[in-house]
């Protein structure tokens, strides 16, 4: 049994309680209520975040890219809390918009999203979504966006920076280029897996068969192989293709042309010196071919001994 407190000690404790400021009790009560409220608010945020991530994971299990309207965009992308990155393609895929570039970009975007969805590294830190102009016009207006397609990264915290908008005009929209950009912004590395395409193999097999059949039929007369004019034409075709930028188009995958969504004007020449359209390559190819043909005709007119009128025409 413990010893009972002496009367002197009880009197001292009573004095300390008597001298305690009377205004401290409401302050302590207010502090306690504030702590409870803060704890409840934090718990509410955690529950809301868990619900959002669960919903996004459910959508991702059905489709690698889920479509969003204005309400979904504000709830899952703009509104906190958020601990995940979101890649959004703003596009216009409806037939009446006549955006062929949007369809091409959508195919590359689908390849990229499928590569992430079915990879072993897939997690709830990165999601892919899409906002179509006809389904989310208010989103385009909110972001002051007047062109499509556009790719943007929305980070887990804070607002998107300038580098969070993909430079499509300069880099193109190939899935590999998008994956590299995502790795720079999120540290998530995606290995792109393209579906098998046998058209190139079939075309090569047909070409080899055609050449082989031609050589077999002309096996007794192979002088055409030594035809300088034929080899010159083949060489010129290769030169025209390379000098017009066809290899750059193959690597970067630029659009054929650009249509202004406001006035409908189509641009075939890119405004920047760092990029080009496919139509621009075709224009350069035709111009180079015309100049070369002119030089050949001038040379033919100067060296031939035919009719004077024909030579003058050349």
């Amino acid at each position: 049994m413990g010893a009972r407190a002496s009367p002197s000690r009880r009197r001292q404790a009573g004095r300390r309680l008597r001298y305690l400021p009377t205004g401290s009790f409401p302050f302590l009560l207010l502090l306690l209520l504030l702590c409870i409220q803060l704890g409840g608010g934090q718990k509410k945020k955690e529950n809301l975040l868990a619900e959002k991530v669960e919903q996004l994971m459910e959508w991702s299990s059905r489709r690698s890219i889920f479509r969003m309207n204005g309400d979904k965009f504000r709830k899952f992308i703009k509104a906190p809390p958020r601990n995940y990155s979101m890649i959004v393609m703003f596009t216009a895929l409806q037939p009446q918009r006549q955006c062929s570039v949007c369809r091409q970009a959508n195919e590359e975007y689908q390849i990229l999203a499928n590569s992430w969805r079915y990879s072993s590294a897939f997690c709830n830190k990165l999601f892919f979504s899409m906002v179509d102009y006809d389904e989310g016009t208010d989103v385009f207006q909110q972001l002051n966006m007047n062109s499509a397609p556009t790719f943007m990264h929305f980070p887990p915290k804070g607002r998107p920076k300038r580098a969070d908008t993909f430079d499509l005009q300069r880099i193109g929209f190939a899935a590999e280029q998008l994956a590299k950009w995502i790795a720079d912004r999120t540290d998530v590395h995606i290995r792109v897996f393209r579906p098998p395409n046998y058209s190139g193999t079939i075309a090569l097999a047909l070409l080899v068969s055609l050449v082989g059949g031609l050589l077999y039929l002309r096996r007794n007369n192979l002088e055409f192989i030594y035809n300088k004019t034929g080899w010159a034409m083949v060489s010129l075709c290769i030169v025209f293709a390379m000098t017009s930028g066809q290899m750059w188009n193959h690597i970067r995958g630029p659009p054929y042309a650009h249509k202004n969504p406001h006035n409908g004007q189509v641009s075939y020449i890119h405004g920047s010196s760092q990029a080009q359209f496919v139509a621009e390559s075709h224009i350069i190819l035709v111009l180079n071919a015309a100049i070369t043909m002119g030089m050949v005709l001038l040379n033919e007119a100067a060296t031939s001994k035919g009719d004077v009128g024909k030579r003058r025409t050349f």
Side-chain angles (χ1 to χ4, degrees):
M1 293 179 62
R4 299 179 63 182
S6 63
S8 61
R9 289 185 178 179
R10 286 198 297 271
R11 284 194 297 272
Q12 292 176 359
R15 289 195 200 100
R16 285 197 295 267
L17 289 175
R18 240 186 342 260
Y19 292 126
L20 191 65
T22 57
S24 62
F25 289 103
F27 174 75
L28 293 175
L29 181 61
L30 179 62
L31 183 61
L32 179 61
L33 292 175
L34 183 61
C35 292
I36 295 175
Q37 185 177 4
L38 290 175
Q42 183 66 25
K43 187 66 176 178
K44 185 178 179 180
K45 287 183 178 180
E46 293 177 357
N47 293 336
L48 178 60
L49 178 60
E51 291 177 2
K52 292 169 69 173
V53 173
E54 183 180 0
Q55 182 65 69
L56 292 174
M57 290 296 291
E58 181 182 351
W59 288 342
S60 296
S61 64
R62 300 175 185 174
R63 289 186 177 185
S64 54
I65 302 174
F66 38 86
R67 306 175 76 97
M68 286 194 168
N69 54 22
D71 294 335
K72 291 180 179 178
F73 179 83
R74 285 182 284 272
K75 178 180 179 181
F76 291 95
I77 298 180
K78 298 293 290 184
R82 197 172 68 247
N83 65 348
Y84 51 84
S85 293
M86 182 72 72
I87 307 298
V88 184
M89 180 179 73
F90 299 91
T91 185
L93 294 175
Q94 296 301 321
Q96 64 269 20
R97 300 298 174 186
Q98 299 180 356
C99 182
S100 59
V101 181
C102 296
R103 291 190 291 271
Q104 298 171 11
N106 181 57
E107 294 175 359
E108 293 293 317
Y109 191 54
Q110 191 72 49
I111 292 174
L112 176 64
N114 288 336
S115 300
W116 167 244
R117 172 64 184 83
Y118 297 106
S119 68
S120 58
F122 175 75
C123 62
N124 59 3
K125 298 300 181 183
L126 178 65
F127 298 98
F128 291 85
S129 63
M130 174 194 306
V131 178
D132 193 280
Y133 180 80
D134 294 283
E135 299 173 0
T137 308
D138 53 339
V139 178
F140 278 75
Q141 295 174 352
Q142 180 182 352
L143 298 175
N144 295 323
M145 192 171 296
N146 54 15
S147 63
T150 300
F151 297 93
M152 286 189 65
H153 164 243
F154 291 86
K157 296 181 180 179
R159 297 182 178 181
K161 301 178 181 178
R162 183 176 181 180
D164 288 313
T165 300
F166 182 68
D167 192 353
L168 183 144
Q169 299 295 340
R170 186 176 64 88
I171 304 177
F173 47 74
E176 291 78 8
Q177 297 296 333
L178 287 169
K180 183 178 179 181
W181 168 67
I182 291 174
D184 293 337
R185 305 310 304 165
T186 65
D187 291 331
V188 175
H189 297 271
I190 303 175
R191 184 180 178 185
V192 177
F193 294 95
R194 291 186 175 273
N197 186 0
Y198 300 105
S199 59
T201 304
I202 295 174
L204 180 61
L206 290 175
L207 179 61
V208 172
S209 301
L210 180 63
V211 173
L214 182 62
L215 291 176
Y216 178 78
L217 293 175
R218 300 289 300 272
R219 61 184 181 276
N220 296 325
N221 184 12
L222 299 178
E223 294 180 359
F224 68 95
I225 296 180
Y226 304 98
N227 191 319
K228 296 180 179 180
T229 304
W231 286 112
M233 294 297 295
V234 172
S235 301
L236 284 176
C237 290
I238 297 175
V239 171
F240 292 154
M242 294 303 172
T243 56
S244 63
Q246 294 297 328
M247 184 58 68
W248 191 93
N249 294 339
H250 179 74
I251 296 173
R252 299 294 181 87
Y256 186 83
H258 175 70
K259 183 177 182 180
N260 193 312
H262 294 293
N263 53 25
Q265 183 179 0
V266 180
S267 300
Y268 298 100
I269 307 296
H270 200 282
S272 171
S273 61
Q274 302 296 323
Q276 68 179 16
F277 296 131
V278 176
E280 189 174 347
S281 299
H282 293 168
I283 294 172
I284 297 300
L285 188 148
V286 172
L287 290 176
N288 288 343
I291 294 172
T292 303
M293 181 61 68
M295 295 298 296
V296 171
L297 292 177
L298 284 174
N299 182 70
E300 183 71 18
T303 57
S304 64
K305 298 180 180 180
D307 182 55
V308 177
K310 185 177 179 181
R311 293 173 61 188
R312 185 178 295 112
T313 303
F314 281 176

